[in-house]
Amino acid sequence: MDTDRPFNFLKNQSNSAPAARRTNRLLGSDQGNASMGKLPPQATDMEEAVLGALMIEKDALSTVADILKPDSFYKESHQRIYSAIINLFVNSEPIDLLTVTSKLRSTGELDLIGGAAFITELTSKVNSAANIEYHARIISQASIKRELIAISSEIQKEAFEDTTDVFKLLDKTEQALFQISESNIKKNYADMGALMRQALEELDQKKNNQDGLTGVPSGFTSLDRLTSGWQKTELTILAARPGMGKTAFVVSALRNAAVEFQKPVAIFSLEMSSVQLVNRLISAEAEIDSEKIRKGNLAPHEWAQIHHRISGLTNAPIYIDDTPALSILELRAKCRRLKAQHDIEMIVIDYLQLMTGDSSGKAGGNREQEIASISRSLKNLAKELDVPVIALSQLSRAVETRGGEKRPQLSDLRESGSIEQDADMVLFLYRPEYYGITADDTGNSVAGIGEVIIAKNRGGSLDTVQLRFVGKYTKFMDLDSFYAPSPTPADRPLPPASSNPIASFESNQSSPAVFKSKANDRSNFEFKGPGEEPPF
């Protein structure tokens, strides 16, 4: 038995029409299954009934158009007939026995499907389109099963190959399954009555929020007052020039959500490693100079200060992934798993321009088109998982080269205007002292001031919020928050310093940070929630 035949057939496909590719792939699977005494799932009698009904009732196609595609049909002749019906519908032409026959004759396909007699026979098998939706769903289910069989067969063959990269195979598998799900499982419409009930239920829940927060809190009072928190299903773009503090701002926001409000959050750090990101969190939480943490030049009392301050941070539901050059397909797969396993309520990507649009490595147009595809996918991800997605983005150098005002504008978004189009909210981060400005127009000092400029907001007003930026701790905080240098050990009692700070940390924490290894440089560092056991 030639078990390689279906797979060789798959690999030798040319760039033909999707329907032809699907037909060839299924024919290859059909040959392999027939040799084992099995035929692929099919419902040819239902296919004939659906095609006959479509040519009897003019409005029947509207019922099944979002359920069936030409390659949902098993027989090639049925695929050709359905394609002709779709073409007639697109061109606003009537659909009946004569018009379908004429259409197939004009494209030279009439003889290939069995002639006019075959089409006439189809219309004689049904009397109405009463059950056409039920029949269409049976056809669709059989089509999905055939696709799964074809994918499984190809994956099985590649899994036996010694030269196969297992991680590429995993990504290919997830990508193929996701494409099947996306192309076959559609969300149906909802009537106004059901939507009105849902809206009223949400309003009833919101009235109990005394602080006005309806989304995931950022922890910045002025910003939350304007936005009511990071909203579900919304894509927020946070853009700034390098060095403005994008990562510091978003890390402060996710820390506030996870520590102060116990909201599970995930951050995908494509620029910094997990440990670097955690060092920033430690510096901000313990209020120890980030430069000292980077160099490891800590005094005994500073070790004690770290242990005293970061207990809440250690147990916070923060999940960090630092996979470099993350593709949008990998991101979607990881986020779906995090949502299923930890019910994450916010996703952060740092930053958008470091992502790749196609994990297979194929060139898919220019970079602007790729960024446009990524931004659309991030918006779809927010809607699919019902969580806010915050993506950091770089600004173009136009900000630096233009004279006068340096505050960023929507036109400064780098590489693609579709970022502005897809985003529900666009925030710009601006620090005047970055450009050597020490005072505003009224003479007030702007040292340590960071501005969050809301340049686009589909759900609210546009405004500018001022925050305090503490550079040495790489953190943002409310402008009116009391800030003073951390008290020394003489001013405030601290736990006694240990000669072994790591042992002291592990003995004092009920749920320590977990370092997870992954083969082939796919390691993750994650803060695990309470109650989870470390893998070592």
Side-chain angles (χ1 to χ4, degrees), residues 31-88:
Q31 293 171 1
N33 288 325
S35 64
M36 295 185 290
K38 294 183 179 180
L39 288 174
Q42 54 188 281
T44 54
D45 53 342
M46 297 291 183
E47 293 179 8
E48 293 173 353
V50 166
L51 293 174
L54 290 174
M55 290 183 283
I56 288 176
E57 296 191 12
K58 63 176 182 178
D59 297 327
L61 184 59
S62 301
T63 306
V64 300
D66 61 341
I67 301 174
L68 297 177
K69 303 181 295 293
D71 45 10
S72 298
F73 292 83
Y74 178 72
K75 296 183 69 173
E76 183 177 357
S77 59
H78 294 168
Q79 294 177 7
R80 295 178 185 274
I81 295 171
Y82 188 71
S83 294
I85 292 173
I86 293 294
N87 287 332
L88 290 171

Side-chain angles (χ1 to χ4, degrees), residues 225-227 425 454-464:
R225 188 179 297 119
L226 282 172
T227 64
M425 186 160 57
I454 304 177
K456 177 185 178 182
N457 186 8
R458 282 189 181 139
S461 59
L462 307 181
D463 207 340
T464 298

Side-chain angles (χ1 to χ4, degrees), residues 147 163 167 275 342 383 407 414 429 447 457 486 503 511 518:
E147 290 185 88
T163 58
F167 295 109
V275 176
H342 304 288
K383 293 182 66 177
R407 280 182 173 81
R414 182 178 168 187
L429 204 57
N457 186 8
S486 299
S511 180
K518 59 185 176 185

